[in-house]
């Protein structure tokens, strides 16, 4: 007669049904053609399938819980760090096993989202600013000329530390990497420069921003946007805008992700992933080619996302969030 392991799903369902009808184990076994012990083991929940093949699991549930606590303590640890601490807790295993266990727990090794740290005062200002702009339409945002500088390196492979996180944890505070302002690097704002001070920034505005604005808006009024970097907020820069009759959009501090041009930089940098420039001239040429390949449709979609970004800030009560 059939063993418990040989019972099909249909047979098991019939056993359950006949048991509910009050049939005895003997009657059930005769009805479906299996042993009484098979019926008994199934109904008692002790039925087992064939023994698993392959190597026995080398860690216990208790050891796995310890590893989870180690990961949660610091999401930015390397695989080697995790293995070392797990070994110190009494679990001797390989790097491959450590990796498999954290994968089983749902963690994935990802590049951390970079967020500037905002204090309570800055968050309140950001929330106030978003509330003021809550009812701006896409047409109004289309009148804004967004600007920004971005860092480009000779090598695009160095992406820094990684973070262990699960799906949906991208914006979790413990998974964020705080940004460092004003790194020593090559910066791009329509031109190549190692640094931008107030005087050089005004020169960039004069020779690059004004011609671009005239080409884009003609004689129509527009609003210029830039962040609160020292070169941008200098008194002489403010006077330059006043002298040229240009309206500047007030912008909250430490809110780079709110600016849609950040997404444009990401598009440009993704296109540059396979570039291997050996000189600054080659790097500049690669950046210009990548920038030129950006379509007007991509720009329009990013500008049209501003109302959604504003709503996200309000919903998060001024905390940095995913736009």
């Amino acid at each position: 007669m059939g063993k418990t392991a040989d019972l099909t799903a249909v047979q098991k369902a019939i056993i359950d049904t006949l048991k509910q009808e009050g049939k005895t184990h003997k009657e059930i076994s005769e009805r479906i053609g299996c042993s009484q012990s098979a019926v008994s083991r199934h109904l008692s929940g002790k039925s087992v399938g064939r023994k698993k093949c392959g190597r026995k699991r080398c860690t216990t549930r208790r050891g796995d819980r310890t590893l989870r606590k180690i990961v949660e303590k610091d999401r930015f640890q390397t695989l080697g760090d995790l293995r070392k601490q797990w070994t110190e807790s009494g679990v001797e295993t390989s790097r491959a096993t450590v990796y498999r266990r954290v994968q089983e727990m749902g963690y994935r090794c990802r590049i951390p989202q970079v967020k500037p740290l905002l204090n309570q005062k800055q968050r309140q200002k950001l929330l106030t600013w978003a509330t003021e702009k809550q009812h701006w339409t896409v047409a109004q945002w289309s009148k804004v000329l967004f600007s920004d500088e971005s860092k480009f390196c000779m090598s695009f492979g160095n992406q820094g530390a990684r973070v262990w996180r699960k799906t949906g944890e991208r914006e979790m505070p413990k998974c964020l990497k705080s940004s460092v302002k004003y790194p020593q690097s090559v910066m791009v704002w329509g031109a190549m420069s190692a640094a931008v001070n107030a005087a050089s920034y005004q020169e960039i505005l004069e020779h690059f921003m004004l011609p671009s604005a005239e080409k884009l808006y003609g004689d129509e009024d527009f609003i210029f946007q830039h962040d609160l970097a020292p070169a941008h907020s200098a008194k002489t820069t403010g006077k330059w805008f006043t002298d040229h009759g240009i309206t500047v959009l007030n912008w909250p501090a430490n809110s780079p992700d709110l600016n849609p041009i950040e997404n444009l930089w990401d598009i440009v940098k993704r296109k540059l992933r396979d570039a291997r420039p050996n000189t600054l001239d080659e790097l500049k040429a690669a950046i210009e080619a990548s920038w030129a390949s950006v379509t007007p449709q991509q720009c329009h979609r990013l500008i049209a996302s501003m109302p959604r970004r504003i709503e996200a800030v309000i919903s998060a009560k001024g905390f940095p969030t995913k736009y």
Side-chain angles (χ1 to χ4, degrees), residues 57-59 64 67 71 77-80 82-83 86 93-110 162-164:
R57 189 179 178 90
C58 63
T59 61
D64 293 346
L67 177 60
V71 176
Q77 297 179 87
T78 65
L79 203 59
L82 296 178
R83 183 193 178 197
W86 208 18
T93 187
S94 66
R95 287 171 60 96
T97 300
V98 176
Y99 183 74
R100 283 196 300 272
R101 294 297 178 269
V102 295
Q103 290 273 313
E104 291 170 3
M105 295 173 189
Y107 298 102
R108 298 295 182 267
C109 191
R110 298 286 187 258
R162 296 268 180 152
V163 63
W164 296 101

Side-chain angles (χ1 to χ4, degrees), residues 28-303:
I28 295 173
S29 65
E30 291 175 350
R31 178 78 172 269
I32 66 173
C34 70
S35 66
Q36 292 185 46
S37 60
V39 174
S40 178
R41 279 194 294 270
H42 169 68
L43 293 175
S44 64
K46 296 180 180 179
S47 59
V48 294
R50 298 175 183 238
K51 290 185 178 181
K52 294 182 179 180
C53 59
R55 191 168 61 181
K56 183 180 178 181
R57 189 179 178 90
C58 63
T59 61
T60 64
R61 291 183 178 179
R62 182 177 181 179
D64 293 346
R65 288 196 297 270
T66 300
L67 177 60
R68 186 188 298 275
K69 291 178 182 179
I70 293 172
V71 176
E72 287 291 338
K73 184 178 179 181
D74 182 3
R75 297 292 191 93
F76 290 86
Q77 297 179 87
T78 65
L79 203 59
D81 294 333
L82 296 178
R83 183 193 178 197
K84 180 181 178 182
Q85 291 193 54
W86 208 18
T87 300
E88 291 173 351
S89 72
V91 182
E92 186 73 36
T93 187
S94 66
R95 287 171 60 96
T97 300
V98 176
Y99 183 74
R100 283 196 300 272
R101 294 297 178 269
V102 295
Q103 290 273 313
E104 291 170 3
M105 295 173 189
Y107 298 102
R108 298 295 182 267
C109 191
R110 298 286 187 258
I111 299 172
Q113 181 83 347
V114 178
K115 291 282 187 179
L117 300 177
L118 297 183
N119 56 39
Q120 182 60 39
K121 185 177 180 180
Q122 289 172 328
R123 288 198 297 268
Q124 185 57 50
K125 286 185 176 181
L126 176 58
L127 180 59
T128 300
W129 179 90
T131 304
E132 292 172 352
K133 303 295 185 294
Q134 186 175 12
H135 301 296
W136 273 36
T137 64
V138 174
Q140 286 175 291
W141 285 113
S142 296
K143 292 291 185 181
V144 178
L145 181 59
F146 291 93
S147 72
D148 189 36
E149 296 88 11
S150 186
K151 178 176 70 174
F152 286 82
C153 302
M154 292 295 294
S155 172
F156 297 96
N158 183 16
Q159 297 170 319
R162 296 268 180 152
V163 63
W164 296 101
R165 69 183 186 217
K166 298 179 180 179
T167 301
E169 292 184 343
R170 186 180 182 214
E171 305 295 326
M172 183 179 288
K174 68 167 64 175
C175 297
L176 297 176
K177 178 182 177 183
S178 60
S179 62
V180 179
K181 299 186 76 174
Y182 322 125
Q184 295 296 315
S185 59
V186 174
M187 303 296 288
V188 177
W189 196 108
M192 189 67 64
S193 174
V196 179
N197 55 32
S200 60
Y201 181 61
Q202 292 161 35
E203 186 174 343
I204 289 172
L205 295 174
E206 187 80 41
H207 296 290
F208 295 97
M209 188 276 283
L210 285 182
S212 296
E214 184 175 352
K215 184 177 180 180
L216 290 169
Y217 297 101
D219 295 330
E220 295 182 16
D221 292 333
F222 70 95
I223 302 173
F224 183 72
Q225 179 278 335
H226 60 181
D227 58 27
L228 300 180
H232 305 174
S233 56
K235 290 182 178 180
T236 53
T237 301
K239 184 177 183 301
W240 185 93
F241 282 108
T242 301
D243 292 343
H244 287 78
I246 297 174
T247 302
V248 178
L249 179 67
N250 64 311
W251 196 255
N254 286 354
S255 304
D257 284 356
L258 189 59
N259 191 344
I261 202 172
E262 290 287 346
N263 301 91
L264 203 59
W265 287 127
D266 288 340
I267 292 172
V268 172
K269 289 181 179 181
R270 282 199 299 270
K271 293 175 181 291
L272 287 171
R273 281 178 179 171
D274 295 328
R276 292 293 181 268
N278 296 312
T279 66
L280 288 180
D281 287 339
E282 291 180 4
L283 176 60
K284 180 179 178 180
I287 295 170
E288 290 178 345
S290 179
W291 185 272
S293 67
V294 175
T295 66
Q297 289 76 18
Q298 288 175 304
C299 296
H300 294 162
R301 283 196 297 268
L302 291 175
I303 296 297

